[in-house]
Amino acid sequence: MKRNVHAIAGVASFLFIATFWTSTVIAELFLSQGAVASVKLAVAYALIAFIPCMAATGATGFIMGGKSTFPLLADKRRRMPIIGLNGLLVLVPAALYLSAKAQAGEFDAGFYRVQAVEIIAGALNLFLMGLNIRDGRRMSRRRHASR
């Protein structure tokens, strides 16, 4: 059961960030400021579902991993603090700030500086989460093969 929750929450978290990132880039490059504001508001509201997904991923991973020193698990364990802190200290505050600025129609230099940081931080989290998903699948295949 924990493995299923972990896998579903992890993939959902990855898809949330991928959707946030892609929607932001498309809106910024090709759509109006009104569309950007709509995307930023949707991202802010989606945090209500995204944050519990990330928490469930981290909690179930921590529980399942225990004190194992298996190399793939150790790699995942090293990446998780970066993913979590990046999300908590950069992505969530940036999403809320950008949503507030966009709703006020304030597309100024501060908005675009934070937007650039958010895009870079989001890409970093996507990369690291992708590595974790890859390693989780490898561990799952290894577990199934040993049965």
Side-chain angles (χ1 to χ4, degrees), residues 49-60:
F50 169 69
I51 292 170
C53 277
M54 281 297 290
T57 303
T60 54

Side-chain angles (χ1 to χ4, degrees), residues 83-116:
I83 293 167
L85 289 173
N86 188 25
L88 187 64
L89 300 177
V90 179
L91 293 174
V92 169
L96 297 174
Y97 172 83
L98 292 169
S99 178
K101 292 284 277 186
Q103 299 320 301
E106 296 175 11
F107 296 94
D108 55 11
F111 177 90
Y112 288 107
R113 274 193 294 272
V114 173
Q115 182 67 84

Side-chain angles (χ1 to χ4, degrees), residues 17-91:
I17 293 179
T19 301
F20 298 163
W21 195 90
T22 304
S23 299
T24 293
V25 170
I26 290 171
E28 287 289 354
L29 292 177
F30 303 111
L31 303 176
S32 68
Q33 287 184 340
V36 171
S38 293
V39 166
K40 293 298 160 194
L41 184 61
V43 168
Y45 277 114
L47 292 176
I48 295 166
F50 169 69
I51 292 170
C53 277
M54 281 297 290
T57 303
T60 54
F62 182 77
I63 291 167
M64 288 186 314
K67 296 187 187 296
S68 173
T69 58
F70 183 67
L72 289 176
L73 185 58
D75 290 344
K76 288 180 68 156
R77 211 179 264 133
R78 273 192 296 277
R79 288 188 287 262
M80 277 312 298
I82 298 166
I83 293 167
L85 289 173
N86 188 25
L88 187 64
L89 300 177
V90 179
L91 293 174

Side-chain angles (χ1 to χ4, degrees), residues 79 82-83 123-133:
R79 288 188 287 262
I82 298 166
I83 293 167
L124 174 64
N125 264 17
L126 282 172
F127 175 72
L128 295 174
M129 291 169 78
L131 293 176
N132 277 4
I133 290 169

